[in-house]
């Protein structure tokens, strides 16, 4: 006589299925975590300054290139509004046009000046795209910029030289 209850093949089969499903889910979770790690590395290691903004233009995230280009720490940026990092002449323009940007869905090649932590300004060329959820609602604005200060200075010098030649 056995001290164990009789084996129920149906229950044993269900238990095996549950274990297989659990192993499948654990494998999927590991793959998602790996993908998430990969995407975060792409974001933070991008050679171009990259930022994510909320529906009001507040910073959700910035990458290392953004911080290095402008000289701020992440803590000095996150939660603040993008307009706070613009040349004063561009702050109202941003506030007035952010709604238009969200409605259009993207902007490309917009040029303006941004304030560095040391108080100096750089000229940038800015590109952005609005991300939406499955229902088409705003999720975030994903934007990047390039420092075009050197090319702007070169253009001014070229124009001055051309004026002198005339």
């Amino acid at each position: 006589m056995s001290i164990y209850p009789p084996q129920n093949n149906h229950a044993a089969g269900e238990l095996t299925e549950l274990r297989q499903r659990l192993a499948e889910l654990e494998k999927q979770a590991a793959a998602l975590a790996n993908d998430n790690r990969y995407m975060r590395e792409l974001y933070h290691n991008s050679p171009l300054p990259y930022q994510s903004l909320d529906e009001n233009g507040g910073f959700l995230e910035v990458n290392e290139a953004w911080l290095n280009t402008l000289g701020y720490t992440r803590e000095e940026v996150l939660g603040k509004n993008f307009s706070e990092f613009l040349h004063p002449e561009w702050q109202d323009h941003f506030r007035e046009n952010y709604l238009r940007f969200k409605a259009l869905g993207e902007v490309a090649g917009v040029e303006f000046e941004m304030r560095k932590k040391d108080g100096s300004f750089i000229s940038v060329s800015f590109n952005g795209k609005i991300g939406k959820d499955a229902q088409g609602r705003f999720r975030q604005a994903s934007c990047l910029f390039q420092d075009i200060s050197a090319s702007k200075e070169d253009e001014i010098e070229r124009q001055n030289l051309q004026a002198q030649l005339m």
Side-chain angles (χ1 to χ4, degrees), residues 20-102:
Q20 289 172 343
R21 181 67 180 137
L22 180 61
E24 235 177 80
L25 290 171
E26 287 173 344
K27 185 177 176 182
Q28 289 174 356
L32 285 172
N34 190 43
D35 288 350
N36 189 25
R37 217 174 4 264
Y38 176 74
M39 295 307 285
R40 286 190 93 39
E41 286 177 15
L42 278 176
Y43 183 93
H44 286 291
N45 295 324
S46 169
L48 292 174
Y50 193 89
Q51 65 194 33
S52 300
L53 302 175
D54 67 20
E55 62 188 336
N56 299 312
F59 284 100
L60 296 171
E61 188 61 83
V62 294
N63 71 355
E64 296 303 315
W66 196 102
L67 297 170
N68 293 336
T69 300
L70 296 171
Y72 296 96
T73 64
R74 188 167 271 103
E75 293 75 27
E76 293 171 316
V77 176
L78 296 185
K80 295 200 174 149
N81 193 278
F82 180 66
S83 64
E84 296 177 48
F85 298 86
L86 298 176
H87 189 283
E89 292 175 10
W90 284 95
Q91 290 176 350
D92 287 339
H93 179 79
F94 172 76
R95 285 191 281 271
E96 293 165 7
N97 287 289
Y98 192 60
L99 283 173
R100 186 175 309 147
F101 167 39
K102 291 190 311 185

Side-chain angles (χ1 to χ4, degrees), residues 91 153 160:
Q91 290 176 350
E153 290 170 10
N160 288 340

Side-chain angles (χ1 to χ4, degrees), residues 90-156:
W90 284 95
Q91 290 176 350
D92 287 339
H93 179 79
F94 172 76
R95 285 191 281 271
E96 293 165 7
N97 287 289
Y98 192 60
L99 283 173
R100 186 175 309 147
F101 167 39
K102 291 190 311 185
L104 289 172
E106 68 181 290
V107 294
V110 177
E111 294 182 8
F112 53 87
E113 290 184 337
M114 293 185 72
R115 179 185 300 126
K116 295 176 70 170
K117 185 175 180 174
D118 66 9
S120 64
F121 295 94
I122 61 170
S123 295
V124 300
S125 178
F126 186 86
N127 297 299
K129 196 164 191 122
I130 300 299
K132 297 184 179 187
D133 65 16
Q135 290 74 38
R137 293 181 303 237
F138 179 91
R139 190 179 68 235
Q140 70 183 29
S142 299
C143 314
L144 59 85
F145 67 84
Q146 286 184 281
D147 182 350
I148 58 169
S149 301
S151 62
K152 285 278 198 186
E153 290 170 10
D154 290 346
E155 177 63 22
I156 291 169

